[in-house]
Amino acid sequence: MMYNRNLEIFIKAAEYGNLTKAAKTLYISQPAVSNALSKLEEELGVKLFFRDKRNGMILTEPGKKILSLAKQMEDIDNRINQVAYKEKYFIGGKLRIASLASLTSTIISKTLKQYQSLYPNVLVEIREGTPNDLTRMVEDHEVDFAVSCAPFWKFDSFSLIHDHMVALLPNGQTAEEINLNTDLGTLIINRPAYETILEYLPRRNSFRSDKVLLVQNPDAAIHMVNDGIGIGILSEYTLRSLVGDVPFSRVSPYISFDIGIFANDLQDLTPVAAEFVKIMKELHTPQPDGKSM
């Protein structure tokens, strides 16, 4: 069986666990989704979903295995189309990127502007999530690569920026150092930064998690700090990218990490993904003055 429309619909239905949501994403009717899934089940001779009124559509065990293979087929189909397109028009197709929200508005945005001017025929799809979400997307072949914070575990990776956590205090206040082991009141942290802190914070150290206010995006954390709600804990790169040169404080224990790219195999990226990574590396290669391009 070659990758086809019914498999594409199956992947979306499995992703959302809901026929209506899958239909809206695919711009088709709900009966069309239902019909496609029935045809696929009939063709394969297995049941792909259990229909549950409370929990929606639940994959059967064969359905889970077929979903994994279907995603791989989707990836291969994309690669085949890119090779053919490149032969005729140089480069085109679909680019699928996973990214932390803070890096979408900084690293990805900066790269995308130059990339689209060079390759206007490439359809770019960006999926955001936490570091754990990004790991799963790459592992399941849902994206070509991810832009995230280390550790990159078993994946093939390339570091772009060395970064560390800093503290942003309300009302323009500054302090030489903020110690996470003391009672600081409310700490405002975006979720990806929180996961990074937990990963790098020495086991003997801890902070008052009952005083942590988690938000999805660093922009929200910065706005809340400006409103005097608490102390923001962010990466220095993100803070400088979003608001420029503002006063901040050191964080103790010192938490440093790399920001970079990871994939199952960086040497086996699709043509459109390889070109994007190439531009990203060029834009963030340190210059003699210590700055990126």
Side-chain angles (χ1 to χ4, degrees), residues 14-57:
E15 180 179 342
Y16 290 103
N18 182 283
L19 291 179
T20 302
K21 290 182 179 179
K24 286 183 178 179
T25 303
L26 294 164
Y27 301 102
I28 59 177
S29 66
Q30 182 176 324
V33 173
S34 182
N35 186 49
L37 294 178
S38 296
K39 285 183 177 179
L40 187 59
E41 287 181 329
E42 182 179 348
E43 182 180 357
L44 295 173
V46 296
K47 192 173 184 63
L48 298 172
F49 293 99
F50 294 118
R51 272 71 170 182
D52 187 282
K53 290 185 178 180
R54 176 174 295 181
N55 300 311
M57 301 172 65

Side-chain angles (χ1 to χ4, degrees), residues 180-226:
L180 294 178
N181 296 315
T182 60
D183 187 355
L184 300 168
T186 301
L187 297 180
I188 307 168
I189 312 174
N190 64 298
R191 290 183 182 278
Y194 186 70
E195 285 190 15
T196 300
I197 290 170
L198 293 182
E199 185 63 43
Y200 282 91
L201 198 65
R203 299 301 180 191
R204 65 181 179 277
N205 296 112
S206 61
F207 58 94
R208 296 174 63 95
S209 58
D210 59 319
K211 292 285 187 75
V212 172
L213 177 58
L214 289 180
V215 296
Q216 190 60 40
N217 299 313
D219 311 63
I222 293 169
H223 283 301
M224 288 183 174
V225 172
N226 291 336

Side-chain angles (χ1 to χ4, degrees), residues 50 96 118 157-158 195:
F50 294 118
R96 305 165 304 162
L118 293 172
S157 63
F158 182 90
E195 285 190 15

